[in-house]
Amino acid sequence: MKITALLMLKCMPEGADPIILANACDVSHFGFFQRSSVREFIVFVSRTVAKRTPPGQRQSVQHEEYKVHSYNRNGLCAIGFMDDHYPVRSAFSLLNQVIDEYQKNFGESWRTAQADSTEPWPYLDNALTKYQDAAEADKLLKIQRELDETKIILHQTIDSVLARGEKLDSLVEKSSDLSAASQMFYSQAKKTNQCCSIL
């Protein structure tokens, strides 16, 4: 699972190209000479997908082994480039968090933007690193992973009990012997008490 890029864009209502408000890319897994072309491709695809994502909508576009996820919240659009293995629910959860954080930091100032921003936004760079693990973006996925780990521990415990099965069998046999001895004691005591009873 890998996130290659996260972007924030302002969608223009007239159908003009969206404006990039913030951009964070990690193209280190591409060849050195490919990196600038990959960055240009990311910007191009981001503008294209953001332009075609209606306000209030989410969409995913598949391209080879990558998916581009887009969430347009009233003209403020978050775009994420992830590989095909990144869970969709985690991707949209991340995009929702990014939009919330952007609005918390910048309010409605994005509405007046007229040109692409080249200012770095540290939160976006940190999010690109932090949310490489999909469980960080999606709390339900994190809980599911913890439950799976607990289930593995539980299976290991049951397996260890079954491995000690021969010891448990000997305990059961001893318990059966004890039960037979108790029954014999009861019947002997009953016989002994019969000779002494007064009618």
Side-chain angles (χ1 to χ4, degrees):
M1 293 184 289
K2 176 121 180 86
I3 303 174
T4 302
L6 292 172
L7 294 94
M8 292 295 303
L9 295 98
K10 172 190 174 184
C11 292
M12 306 297 281
E14 306 85 38
D17 279 345
I19 295 170
I20 295 177
L21 303 170
N23 182 353
C25 293
D26 176 17
V27 292
S28 61
H29 56 282
F30 291 98
F32 180 77
F33 295 107
Q34 296 175 322
R35 293 177 186 174
S36 63
S37 298
V38 170
R39 284 189 190 98
E40 290 173 4
F41 180 76
I42 287 171
V43 169
F44 170 75
V45 171
S46 295
R47 288 189 205 273
T48 305
V49 171
K51 187 191 290 188
R52 289 171 173 77
T53 304
Q57 296 290 315
R58 296 178 170 138
Q59 69 177 351
S60 297
V61 178
Q62 176 93 28
H63 178 69
E64 295 176 4
E65 71 269 10
Y66 291 97
K67 279 189 181 168
V68 180
H69 302 284
S70 172
Y71 176 33
N72 185 339
R73 189 190 292 168
N74 301 319
L76 183 60
C77 189
I79 303 279
F81 284 75
M82 286 90 167
D83 67 6
D84 200 24
H85 303 293
Y86 202 89
V88 174
R89 192 176 78 209
S90 298
F92 285 117
S93 177
L94 169 59
L95 296 180
N96 194 42
Q97 290 175 22
V98 168
I99 290 176
D100 288 343
E101 193 67 28
Y102 189 88
Q103 288 183 320
K104 190 167 71 172
N105 286 319
F106 301 104
E108 297 295 314
S109 65
W110 62 273
R111 294 189 185 276
T112 60
Q114 298 298 319
D116 289 347
S117 173
T118 56
E119 296 282 325
W121 182 32
Y123 173 81
L124 204 58
D125 293 320
N126 293 338
L128 185 64
T129 304
K130 178 180 179 183
Y131 296 117
Q132 292 295 334
D133 179 12
E136 290 295 325
D138 187 0
K139 299 301 180 196
L140 287 177
L141 186 63
K142 189 174 186 175
I143 291 169
Q144 181 65 42
R145 185 179 290 168
E146 289 172 0
L147 286 173
D148 290 344
E149 289 171 2
T150 303
K151 188 168 69 172
I152 289 168
I153 291 170
L154 181 62
H155 284 300
Q156 289 172 346
T157 304
I158 291 172
D159 288 343
S160 65
V161 167
L162 293 176
R164 293 182 295 170
E166 59 278 351
K167 294 179 185 174
L168 292 176
D169 289 342
S170 65
L171 286 176
V172 169
E173 288 173 12
K174 289 179 184 176
S175 172
S176 298
D177 291 342
L178 181 61
S179 178
S182 296
Q183 289 176 350
M184 186 180 280
F185 174 76
Y186 175 75
S187 62
Q188 290 293 333
K190 191 172 183 181
K191 286 181 186 176
T192 307
N193 288 338
Q194 281 179 354
C195 70
C196 303
S197 61
I198 300 174
L199 297 175

mmCIF file with all atom_site columns, all heavy atoms in Angstrom, residues 19 62 99 125 153-154 166 173 177-178:
data_model
loop_
_atom_site.group_PDB
_atom_site.id
_atom_site.type_symbol
_atom_site.label_atom_id
_atom_site.label_alt_id
_atom_site.label_comp_id
_atom_site.label_asym_id
_atom_site.label_entity_id
_atom_site.label_seq_id
_atom_site.pdbx_PDB_ins_code
_atom_site.Cartn_x
_atom_site.Cartn_y
_atom_site.Cartn_z
_atom_site.occupancy
_atom_site.B_iso_or_equiv
_atom_site.pdbx_formal_charge
_atom_site.auth_seq_id
_atom_site.auth_comp_id
_atom_site.auth_asym_id
_atom_site.auth_atom_id
_atom_site.pdbx_PDB_model_num
ATOM 1  N N   . ILE A 1 19  ? -7.523  25.170  -9.494  1.00 0.00 ? 19  ILE A N   1
ATOM 2  C CA  . ILE A 1 19  ? -6.304  25.800  -8.977  1.00 0.00 ? 19  ILE A CA  1
ATOM 3  C C   . ILE A 1 19  ? -5.741  24.925  -7.864  1.00 0.00 ? 19  ILE A C   1
ATOM 4  O O   . ILE A 1 19  ? -6.474  24.509  -6.953  1.00 0.00 ? 19  ILE A O   1
ATOM 5  C CB  . ILE A 1 19  ? -6.614  27.214  -8.451  1.00 0.00 ? 19  ILE A CB  1
ATOM 6  C CG1 . ILE A 1 19  ? -7.051  28.105  -9.619  1.00 0.00 ? 19  ILE A CG1 1
ATOM 7  C CG2 . ILE A 1 19  ? -5.416  27.802  -7.730  1.00 0.00 ? 19  ILE A CG2 1
ATOM 8  C CD1 . ILE A 1 19  ? -7.604  29.442  -9.185  1.00 0.00 ? 19  ILE A CD1 1
ATOM 9  N N   . GLN A 1 62  ? -9.365  4.455   -11.971 1.00 0.00 ? 62  GLN A N   1
ATOM 10 C CA  . GLN A 1 62  ? -8.302  3.447   -12.038 1.00 0.00 ? 62  GLN A CA  1
ATOM 11 C C   . GLN A 1 62  ? -7.424  3.724   -13.242 1.00 0.00 ? 62  GLN A C   1
ATOM 12 O O   . GLN A 1 62  ? -7.914  3.980   -14.333 1.00 0.00 ? 62  GLN A O   1
ATOM 13 C CB  . GLN A 1 62  ? -8.940  2.059   -12.168 1.00 0.00 ? 62  GLN A CB  1
ATOM 14 C CG  . GLN A 1 62  ? -7.954  0.943   -12.330 1.00 0.00 ? 62  GLN A CG  1
ATOM 15 C CD  . GLN A 1 62  ? -7.566  0.316   -11.017 1.00 0.00 ? 62  GLN A CD  1
ATOM 16 O OE1 . GLN A 1 62  ? -8.333  0.335   -10.083 1.00 0.00 ? 62  GLN A OE1 1
ATOM 17 N NE2 . GLN A 1 62  ? -6.370  -0.209  -10.949 1.00 0.00 ? 62  GLN A NE2 1
ATOM 18 N N   . ILE A 1 99  ? -9.352  17.586  4.039   1.00 0.00 ? 99  ILE A N   1
ATOM 19 C CA  . ILE A 1 99  ? -10.225 18.740  3.805   1.00 0.00 ? 99  ILE A CA  1
ATOM 20 C C   . ILE A 1 99  ? -10.572 19.408  5.128   1.00 0.00 ? 99  ILE A C   1
ATOM 21 O O   . ILE A 1 99  ? -10.537 20.644  5.245   1.00 0.00 ? 99  ILE A O   1
ATOM 22 C CB  . ILE A 1 99  ? -11.500 18.334  3.034   1.00 0.00 ? 99  ILE A CB  1
ATOM 23 C CG1 . ILE A 1 99  ? -11.134 17.979  1.589   1.00 0.00 ? 99  ILE A CG1 1
ATOM 24 C CG2 . ILE A 1 99  ? -12.530 19.449  3.057   1.00 0.00 ? 99  ILE A CG2 1
ATOM 25 C CD1 . ILE A 1 99  ? -12.295 17.470  0.759   1.00 0.00 ? 99  ILE A CD1 1
ATOM 26 N N   . ASP A 1 125 ? 2.399   17.202  3.862   1.00 0.00 ? 125 ASP A N   1
ATOM 27 C CA  . ASP A 1 125 ? 3.616   16.386  3.789   1.00 0.00 ? 125 ASP A CA  1
ATOM 28 C C   . ASP A 1 125 ? 3.632   15.334  4.898   1.00 0.00 ? 125 ASP A C   1
ATOM 29 O O   . ASP A 1 125 ? 3.987   14.176  4.663   1.00 0.00 ? 125 ASP A O   1
ATOM 30 C CB  . ASP A 1 125 ? 4.863   17.267  3.893   1.00 0.00 ? 125 ASP A CB  1
ATOM 31 C CG  . ASP A 1 125 ? 5.017   18.177  2.685   1.00 0.00 ? 125 ASP A CG  1
ATOM 32 O OD1 . ASP A 1 125 ? 4.758   17.717  1.562   1.00 0.00 ? 125 ASP A OD1 1
ATOM 33 O OD2 . ASP A 1 125 ? 5.392   19.356  2.884   1.00 0.00 ? 125 ASP A OD2 1
ATOM 34 N N   . ILE A 1 153 ? -3.823  -14.726 18.597  1.00 0.00 ? 153 ILE A N   1
ATOM 35 C CA  . ILE A 1 153 ? -3.343  -15.092 19.932  1.00 0.00 ? 153 ILE A CA  1
ATOM 36 C C   . ILE A 1 153 ? -4.272  -16.141 20.542  1.00 0.00 ? 153 ILE A C   1
ATOM 37 O O   . ILE A 1 153 ? -3.820  -17.106 21.132  1.00 0.00 ? 153 ILE A O   1
ATOM 38 C CB  . ILE A 1 153 ? -3.236  -13.843 20.831  1.00 0.00 ? 153 ILE A CB  1
ATOM 39 C CG1 . ILE A 1 153 ? -2.089  -12.949 20.342  1.00 0.00 ? 153 ILE A CG1 1
ATOM 40 C CG2 . ILE A 1 153 ? -3.024  -14.242 22.279  1.00 0.00 ? 153 ILE A CG2 1
ATOM 41 C CD1 . ILE A 1 153 ? -2.061  -11.582 21.003  1.00 0.00 ? 153 ILE A CD1 1
ATOM 42 N N   . LEU A 1 154 ? -5.587  -15.965 20.364  1.00 0.00 ? 154 LEU A N   1
ATOM 43 C CA  . LEU A 1 154 ? -6.554  -16.919 20.891  1.00 0.00 ? 154 LEU A CA  1
ATOM 44 C C   . LEU A 1 154 ? -6.360  -18.283 20.243  1.00 0.00 ? 154 LEU A C   1
ATOM 45 O O   . LEU A 1 154 ? -6.357  -19.303 20.935  1.00 0.00 ? 154 LEU A O   1
ATOM 46 C CB  . LEU A 1 154 ? -7.978  -16.409 20.660  1.00 0.00 ? 154 LEU A CB  1
ATOM 47 C CG  . LEU A 1 154 ? -9.107  -17.282 21.175  1.00 0.00 ? 154 LEU A CG  1
ATOM 48 C CD1 . LEU A 1 154 ? -9.012  -17.424 22.690  1.00 0.00 ? 154 LEU A CD1 1
ATOM 49 C CD2 . LEU A 1 154 ? -10.446 -16.689 20.801  1.00 0.00 ? 154 LEU A CD2 1
ATOM 50 N N   . GLU A 1 166 ? -2.570  -34.752 25.849  1.00 0.00 ? 166 GLU A N   1
ATOM 51 C CA  . GLU A 1 166 ? -2.296  -35.996 26.576  1.00 0.00 ? 166 GLU A CA  1
ATOM 52 C C   . GLU A 1 166 ? -2.282  -35.740 28.083  1.00 0.00 ? 166 GLU A C   1
ATOM 53 O O   . GLU A 1 166 ? -2.696  -36.585 28.861  1.00 0.00 ? 166 GLU A O   1
ATOM 54 C CB  . GLU A 1 166 ? -0.981  -36.643 26.121  1.00 0.00 ? 166 GLU A CB  1
ATOM 55 C CG  . GLU A 1 166 ? 0.277   -35.809 26.278  1.00 0.00 ? 166 GLU A CG  1
ATOM 56 C CD  . GLU A 1 166 ? 0.493   -34.803 25.152  1.00 0.00 ? 166 GLU A CD  1
ATOM 57 O OE1 . GLU A 1 166 ? -0.241  -34.844 24.147  1.00 0.00 ? 166 GLU A OE1 1
ATOM 58 O OE2 . GLU A 1 166 ? 1.388   -33.962 25.296  1.00 0.00 ? 166 GLU A OE2 1
ATOM 59 N N   . GLU A 1 173 ? -8.795  -39.056 33.229  1.00 0.00 ? 173 GLU A N   1
ATOM 60 C CA  . GLU A 1 173 ? -8.787  -40.429 33.723  1.00 0.00 ? 173 GLU A CA  1
ATOM 61 C C   . GLU A 1 173 ? -8.700  -40.449 35.242  1.00 0.00 ? 173 GLU A C   1
ATOM 62 O O   . GLU A 1 173 ? -9.395  -41.222 35.898  1.00 0.00 ? 173 GLU A O   1
ATOM 63 C CB  . GLU A 1 173 ? -7.607  -41.203 33.125  1.00 0.00 ? 173 GLU A CB  1
ATOM 64 C CG  . GLU A 1 173 ? -7.789  -41.534 31.661  1.00 0.00 ? 173 GLU A CG  1
ATOM 65 C CD  . GLU A 1 173 ? -6.545  -42.155 31.056  1.00 0.00 ? 173 GLU A CD  1
ATOM 66 O OE1 . GLU A 1 173 ? -5.619  -42.539 31.819  1.00 0.00 ? 173 GLU A OE1 1
ATOM 67 O OE2 . GLU A 1 173 ? -6.496  -42.243 29.822  1.00 0.00 ? 173 GLU A OE2 1
ATOM 68 N N   . ASP A 1 177 ? -11.326 -42.051 37.929  1.00 0.00 ? 177 ASP A N   1
ATOM 69 C CA  . ASP A 1 177 ? -10.948 -42.951 39.012  1.00 0.00 ? 177 ASP A CA  1
ATOM 70 C C   . ASP A 1 177 ? -11.461 -42.424 40.341  1.00 0.00 ? 177 ASP A C   1
ATOM 71 O O   . ASP A 1 177 ? -11.945 -43.176 41.166  1.00 0.00 ? 177 ASP A O   1
ATOM 72 C CB  . ASP A 1 177 ? -9.433  -43.112 39.080  1.00 0.00 ? 177 ASP A CB  1
ATOM 73 C CG  . ASP A 1 177 ? -8.890  -43.878 37.880  1.00 0.00 ? 177 ASP A CG  1
ATOM 74 O OD1 . ASP A 1 177 ? -9.693  -44.556 37.203  1.00 0.00 ? 177 ASP A OD1 1
ATOM 75 O OD2 . ASP A 1 177 ? -7.671  -43.770 37.637  1.00 0.00 ? 177 ASP A OD2 1
ATOM 76 N N   . LEU A 1 178 ? -11.332 -41.147 40.533  1.00 0.00 ? 178 LEU A N   1
ATOM 77 C CA  . LEU A 1 178 ? -11.794 -40.541 41.776  1.00 0.00 ? 178 LEU A CA  1
ATOM 78 C C   . LEU A 1 178 ? -13.296 -40.730 41.914  1.00 0.00 ? 178 LEU A C   1
ATOM 79 O O   . LEU A 1 178 ? -13.795 -41.043 42.981  1.00 0.00 ? 178 LEU A O   1
ATOM 80 C CB  . LEU A 1 178 ? -11.427 -39.050 41.811  1.00 0.00 ? 178 LEU A CB  1
ATOM 81 C CG  . LEU A 1 178 ? -11.818 -38.272 43.051  1.00 0.00 ? 178 LEU A CG  1
ATOM 82 C CD1 . LEU A 1 178 ? -11.138 -38.847 44.285  1.00 0.00 ? 178 LEU A CD1 1
ATOM 83 C CD2 . LEU A 1 178 ? -11.475 -36.818 42.883  1.00 0.00 ? 178 LEU A CD2 1
#
